[in-house]
Amino acid sequence: MTARYTQNPHITLIVPAFNEAAAISNTVVNIAHHLEQLTPNWDVVVIDDGSLDQTANVVRALAKELNTTLVRFSRNFGKEYAITAGLENASGDIVICMDADGQHSSELLAQMLEKWREGYDMVYAVRQDREVESQFKRWGSKIFYRAMSLSGQINIPPDAGDFRLMDRQVVNALLSLPERNRFMKGIYAWVGYKSIGIPYFPLERTHGESTFSKLKLIQLAWTGITSFSVMPLRLASALGASLAFIAFIYGIYVVVDRLFFAESVPGWPTVVASMMFFAGVQLLFIGILGEYLARVYDEVKGRPSYIVAEISKPHGAKTASKPRASKAKTSVTPEQDLLI
Ligand code: UDP
Ligand code: MG
C-alpha cells in the first residue's frame, strides 16, 4: 500500500469557462458536492476566459460558499490558456481539470482519485462516444491521432482530452514548459509520468452549444502537429528530393534522346503542366515553412500567453493581477522544443 492511501490530499478543481453563465453554477455545486465526499481539503478555480455573459458574476456569488476562486481574463484567449492559468493558480496536491458545461461527470472523480492512490500521477478520461459524433469529427480525430503518432516522438493517447487528474509533480512539470503556442494534449504527453486512462461517456451539454467549430478544431490540430513535430517539413524535403530526382532522370533522357535519336518533339502542354505543378508544390512548402516561422516569431516576441484582469479569492480579497509570462524554468528552449 502506498503512502497515498493514508494521505488526505488537497484537491484543486480547475474549470475553464467561456460564456457558461447558465451552466457554471450547477457544475460547481455538483463538483463541490462530490469533492466534499472525497477529501476535507479542496477548492475550485474557475477561469473566466473573457466571457461576454454573466459568468464572472455568477462565480463571484458562489465563491464564498463553495470555496471558489475566480480568475478572469481580460479577453477570450482560448481553452488551452484558461487551463494554463488554472494550473498556475492551483494550490492543490492534486489538480483536476473539468469543463464548465457539465459534460464531464463528477462521478468519475472518485475513480480518478483511487487511481492516484494506486500510484498513478496522471489519470485521464477517455471518451467512448466517438461513434455518435459527426463524420467530420470522427474522421478528423482519426487522421489527427494517426498523423501525430507517425510524426512525433510523443505518444498522445487517442480520445483523451483535458478531463484529467494530475499530481503536483505533473502540474509543476507542465508549468515549466515555456512555450506560448500551448497545445495541452501534446504537453500532457510530453511531460510523461505514470499515466492511465479511464473510460467515460461525456454527458449532454446542459446549456448552449460547443464553441469548438470545425475551423477551430482544424486550427488546434494544426497547432498540435506543428508544435510537436517537424514531420511536415520532412515530408516537404522528401517530396522535393523525389521530384528533383525524377527531373534529373528526365533531364538525362532528354539529352540522350537529343544526341542519339534527334527526335525532339515540342511538348508544350507537358512544360506548362509541370511548371504549374512545381510552382504549386513550392508555394505549398513555403507556406509550411512560414507556419513554423510564425510559431518561432510568436515565441521570440515573448508576450505573456494571457492577461488576467482579476483574481477573486473565496474570502473576498480581490487582486488585479500583473501580466504574467510563462517564464522558462527549464533548459528546454523553444527551438529545441520545436525539434522534438
Ligand atoms: N472554453 C474556454 N474558452 C474557449 C472555449 C471554450 O474556456 O475559448 C471552455 C468552455 O467553457 C467549456 C470547455 O472549454 O468549459 C469546453 O468547451 P466546449 O464545451 O465548447 O467544447 P467541447 O465540449 O465541444 O469540447
Ligand atoms: Mg463541452
Side-chain angles (χ1 to χ4, degrees):
M1 195 157 86
T2 63
R4 286 178 177 177
Y5 274 96
T6 50
Q7 204 181 332
N8 253 337
H10 181 138
I11 303 181
T12 300
L13 225 126
I14 60 176
V15 187
F18 175 56
N19 292 341
E20 301 281 9
I24 188 79
S25 165
N26 270 343
T27 306
V28 177
V29 168
N30 198 272
I31 288 172
H33 169 73
H34 281 86
L35 282 177
E36 255 160 19
Q37 294 167 7
L38 295 176
T39 177
N41 314 313
W42 58 269
D43 71 323
V44 180
V45 176
V46 178
I47 306 90
D48 175 9
D49 185 9
S51 299
L52 302 170
D53 64 1
Q54 294 299 312
T55 302
N57 287 337
V58 175
V59 176
R60 267 191 226 104
L62 291 173
K64 257 187 216 156
E65 205 183 324
L66 295 171
N67 207 13
T68 303
T69 301
L70 167 73
V71 177
R72 186 168 60 80
F73 280 181
S74 60
R75 65 167 171 86
N76 179 244
F77 283 89
K79 187 183 179 190
E80 314 287 300
Y81 299 98
I83 293 174
T84 307
L87 293 174
E88 276 172 358
N89 286 283
S91 52
D93 308 310
I94 289 177
V95 179
I96 304 177
C97 180
M98 274 173 84
D99 281 2
D101 56 11
Q103 289 195 278
H104 294 165
S105 161
S106 313
E107 309 280 334
L108 244 73
L109 295 178
Q111 226 179 313
M112 286 182 161
L113 188 67
E114 185 51 33
K115 289 284 172 209
W116 176 82
R117 289 198 194 283
E118 283 172 20
Y120 290 98
D121 298 313
M122 182 137 59
V123 187
Y124 50 83
V126 183
R127 51 192 306 177
Q128 306 288 307
D129 67 333
R130 285 290 183 198
E131 56 285 356
V132 297
E133 281 194 308
S134 69
Q135 291 285 353
F136 170 81
K137 277 197 174 179
R138 262 166 63 188
W139 282 100
S141 66
K142 258 195 196 147
I143 293 169
F144 172 74
Y145 286 113
R146 184 58 58 84
M148 282 309 283
S149 71
L150 279 178
S151 66
Q153 286 178 352
I154 52 163
N155 203 359
I156 299 183
D159 304 332
D162 296 306
F163 184 17
R164 58 180 69 215
L165 173 151
M166 291 156 271
D167 184 76
R168 172 51 50 192
Q169 281 189 65
V170 177
V171 175
N172 290 345
L174 292 174
L175 292 177
S176 72
L177 292 193
E179 65 244 65
R180 280 160 190 83
N181 281 299
R182 291 190 86 79
F183 175 66
M184 291 310 291
K185 278 185 188 184
I187 294 177
Y188 296 132
W190 188 88
V191 296
Y193 288 98
K194 200 174 165 197
S195 310
I196 190 170
I198 53 175
Y200 89 111
F201 283 89
L203 307 173
E204 284 288 308
R205 225 174 190 286
T206 46
H207 293 88
E209 279 185 4
S210 168
T211 44
F212 284 88
S213 60
K214 284 183 184 156
L215 186 67
K216 253 183 150 182
L217 287 172
I218 292 172
Q219 279 172 347
L220 191 65
W222 187 237
T223 303
I225 289 173
T226 50
S227 310
F228 281 91
S229 98
V230 287
M231 194 57 144
L233 293 178
R234 289 200 184 131
L235 277 181
S237 316
L239 192 64
S242 326
L243 287 176
F245 181 70
I246 294 170
F248 179 69
I249 300 288
Y250 184 67
I252 293 176
Y253 164 75
V254 168
V255 171
V256 171
D257 194 43
R258 179 77 190 83
L259 286 179
F260 299 105
F261 305 101
E263 274 178 24
S264 77
V265 182
W268 177 242
T270 327
V271 172
V272 172
S274 58
M275 259 177 59
M276 281 170 64
F277 174 69
F278 283 112
V281 168
Q282 278 175 12
L283 282 180
L284 174 70
F285 292 134
I286 292 173
I288 292 182
L289 277 179
E291 282 288 332
Y292 281 91
L293 190 64
R295 307 233 170 269
V296 174
Y297 178 56
D298 261 355
E299 302 295 340
V300 169
K301 274 188 292 190
R303 285 184 189 158
S305 304
Y306 54 83
I307 305 279
V308 175
E310 169 197 342
I311 298 183
S312 297
K313 302 265 181 199
H315 44 82
K318 264 193 193 180
T319 44
S321 170
K322 293 183 248 108
R324 151 168 220 311
S326 320
K327 283 266 160 60
K329 286 172 206 129
T330 62
S331 54
V332 183
T333 65
E335 289 87 325
Q336 277 174 330
D337 204 44
L338 202 76
L339 291 170
I340 287 159

